[in-house]
Amino acid sequence: MKLLTIDTSTNTCSVALSCDGRLVGEYLLEMQRTLSERLLAGVELLLTGAGLTVQDMDGFGVALGPGSFTGLRIGIATVKGLALATGKPVAGFSSLAMLAMNLPWADALVCPMFDARKKEVYTGLYRCRELPEPVIPDCVLSPEAFLEQLDGPVIFVGDGAVRYRESIESRLGVRARFAPASVTQPRAAAGALLAEAEFSRGASVTAAALAPLYIRPSEAELARLQRNP
């Protein structure tokens, strides 16, 4: 199965090209702006380098969230366009589960953590085998509130863990471990394995059914709720 997988849930843009679970190529770039241009450039770079076209893909994978509202919209819209143009199916997956996959077969539970701003984090807790198994479902709340649910030992990974390291260490002490900087970014190569697992269990969807998992309402939704309580 030839699969093109995209992740834009954070300020790291990542695209992976895989074939039957084997990584053919990956594009990863941390950025603050021009996400849509860089994303399409990454897709073209990988496909051209592999001598393939979008039509050669058997399906597409995409991170559904949680994460950046703007980033998720761009990534999902791109995959929708590719899927509609080719008529190929799509499989979505959790961006936090994808980040947890940077630590396969860890001897402790893994806590992926994105900075959600507003003094909150997108986070969850996973038991990482070949694929991650959720122990605490993905959620958004203050680091302090989430840490109250943890005992330890726990391995923390992601930009949220970096930002709130002091709070984590204060709560868990030596029971808190921190992943090295080399694995703090989510990677579409890991997401490709999650997408393939979805395809294998028949959980793919059409482009029209693809929707982000925001967890937290957007600013526009909050404003609308305030106007119409």
Side-chain angles (χ1 to χ4, degrees), residues 158-226:
D159 60 3
V162 173
R163 177 170 183 178
Y164 293 103
R165 180 165 183 157
E166 185 175 335
S167 297
I168 295 169
E169 291 179 326
S170 175
R171 170 70 176 84
L172 293 178
V174 297
R175 293 170 296 168
R177 307 176 190 173
F178 295 87
S182 58
V183 296
T184 57
Q185 295 169 307
R187 294 183 56 191
L193 297 177
L194 290 173
E196 286 198 3
E198 292 295 292
F199 278 117
S200 66
R201 69 185 187 91
S204 63
V205 299
T206 63
L210 199 62
L213 300 174
Y214 287 137
I215 296 184
R216 182 172 70 187
S218 67
E219 295 293 340
E221 290 171 320
L222 289 173
R224 185 167 58 251
L225 289 173
Q226 291 173 353

Side-chain angles (χ1 to χ4, degrees), residues 13-35:
C13 171
S14 183
V15 185
L17 178 62
S18 59
C19 183
D20 296 331
R22 179 177 58 86
L23 180 64
V24 176
E26 184 178 27
Y27 172 91
L28 187 148
L29 183 66
E30 185 173 307
M31 65 185 71
Q32 299 295 334
R33 299 180 181 178
T34 66
L35 175 57

Side-chain angles (χ1 to χ4, degrees), residues 19-205:
C19 183
D20 296 331
R22 179 177 58 86
L23 180 64
V24 176
E26 184 178 27
Y27 172 91
L28 187 148
L29 183 66
E30 185 173 307
M31 65 185 71
Q32 299 295 334
R33 299 180 181 178
T34 66
L35 175 57
S36 57
E37 295 177 11
R38 297 286 186 170
L39 175 57
L40 293 174
V43 170
E44 183 178 359
L45 178 67
L46 285 179
L47 291 175
T48 301
L52 298 170
T53 69
V54 173
Q55 292 290 343
D56 293 320
M57 297 300 101
D58 297 306
F60 302 93
V62 65
L64 299 178
S68 161
F69 290 99
T70 301
L72 290 172
R73 284 196 297 269
I74 291 173
I76 291 173
T78 300
V79 168
K80 277 190 172 185
L82 295 174
L84 287 170
T86 60
K88 302 297 174 62
V90 181
F93 50 84
S94 161
S95 52
L96 289 169
M98 174 180 56
L99 179 58
M101 285 190 68
N102 287 353
L103 298 163
W105 302 107
D107 63 350
L109 295 177
V110 175
C111 178
M113 190 175 280
F114 293 149
D115 181 10
R117 303 185 181 182
K118 299 184 178 181
K119 298 181 179 180
E120 292 183 326
V121 290
Y122 295 117
T123 189
L125 192 66
Y126 288 85
R127 180 175 293 106
C128 290
R129 302 292 188 248
E130 184 174 356
L131 295 176
E133 304 166 2
V135 176
I136 297 178
D138 295 354
C139 56
V140 58
L141 71 176
S142 71
E144 293 76 15
F146 185 74
L147 291 170
E148 287 297 322
Q149 304 177 56
L150 306 184
D151 185 14
V154 176
I155 305 172
F156 293 86
V157 60
D159 60 3
V162 173
R163 177 170 183 178
Y164 293 103
R165 180 165 183 157
E166 185 175 335
S167 297
I168 295 169
E169 291 179 326
S170 175
R171 170 70 176 84
L172 293 178
V174 297
R175 293 170 296 168
R177 307 176 190 173
F178 295 87
S182 58
V183 296
T184 57
Q185 295 169 307
R187 294 183 56 191
L193 297 177
L194 290 173
E196 286 198 3
E198 292 295 292
F199 278 117
S200 66
R201 69 185 187 91
S204 63
V205 299

